[in-house]
Amino acid sequence: MKIINNKIFILVFLVGIILALSMGNNNILQAGYSTVPTGTNGIPTDLTVNNIHGSTHHYAFIKAYLTDNHGKPLSNKIIAFNIDDDSNIYITVTSTSGYALLYYYIYQSSGTYPINAKFQEDQTYSGSTSTSMLTIE
């Protein structure tokens, strides 16, 4: 099962990168997130991320929800996740209902770690960020 999950993760990751680059959004891989909207142009967006509880050496779903300023879900938008203490940036794409899911393998030891999510502004929508917590017991 672990090999299958890793192959699925790699496939999803590569699709996200290809979509990001094909949309001309080369800045999506930048590190460094703020807690304020990143764009001043376009329609405002709202990004929320759920808090997660998990255990070391297990997987957990991290879920983000992206809407416009009227609460309409935004589909096919790229969300970049970064978990504190993990140097990787994970790329996901929102579904038709505005949700982006990351199937995350928890390797960290017990503690609390910030989860940062970012939607980079595009031609229509301004960017937004959100932070939640990963609690490992």
Side-chain angles (χ1 to χ4, degrees):
M1 179 117 171
K2 185 175 182 180
I3 292 173
I4 292 171
N5 288 336
N6 287 341
K7 287 181 181 178
I8 290 170
F9 169 76
I10 291 170
L11 177 63
V12 169
F13 178 77
L14 291 176
V15 168
I17 295 271
I18 291 167
L19 285 171
L21 295 176
S22 70
M23 290 196 232
N25 198 351
N26 297 329
N27 294 330
I28 195 72
L29 299 178
Q30 291 181 1
Y33 301 125
S34 69
T35 57
V36 296
T38 57
T40 56
N41 299 322
I43 300 168
T45 59
D46 183 41
L47 179 64
T48 57
V49 180
N50 63 321
N51 289 319
I52 300 295
H53 294 276
S55 302
T56 303
H57 304 299
H58 288 90
Y59 285 91
F61 277 107
I62 300 173
K63 180 171 53 173
Y65 184 57
L66 181 67
T67 61
D68 67 9
N69 61 329
H70 298 290
K72 177 187 167 202
L74 300 178
S75 63
N76 297 319
K77 300 298 179 185
I78 297 168
I79 307 297
F81 289 95
N82 174 262
I83 293 81
D84 191 40
D85 194 47
D86 184 341
S87 61
N88 297 306
I89 295 177
Y90 300 92
I91 306 296
T92 61
V93 178
T94 58
S95 67
T96 56
S97 57
Y99 287 99
L101 295 176
L102 173 63
Y103 192 51
Y104 182 73
Y105 178 76
I106 301 171
Y107 69 86
Q108 295 93 336
S109 58
S110 296
T112 304
Y113 304 87
I115 300 170
N116 301 300
K118 181 177 184 179
F119 167 64
Q120 183 76 29
E121 69 182 274
D122 62 16
Q123 294 176 343
T124 306
Y125 297 98
S126 60
S128 55
T129 62
S130 181
T131 301
S132 65
M133 300 305 282
L134 168 62
T135 303
I136 303 169
E137 300 168 357

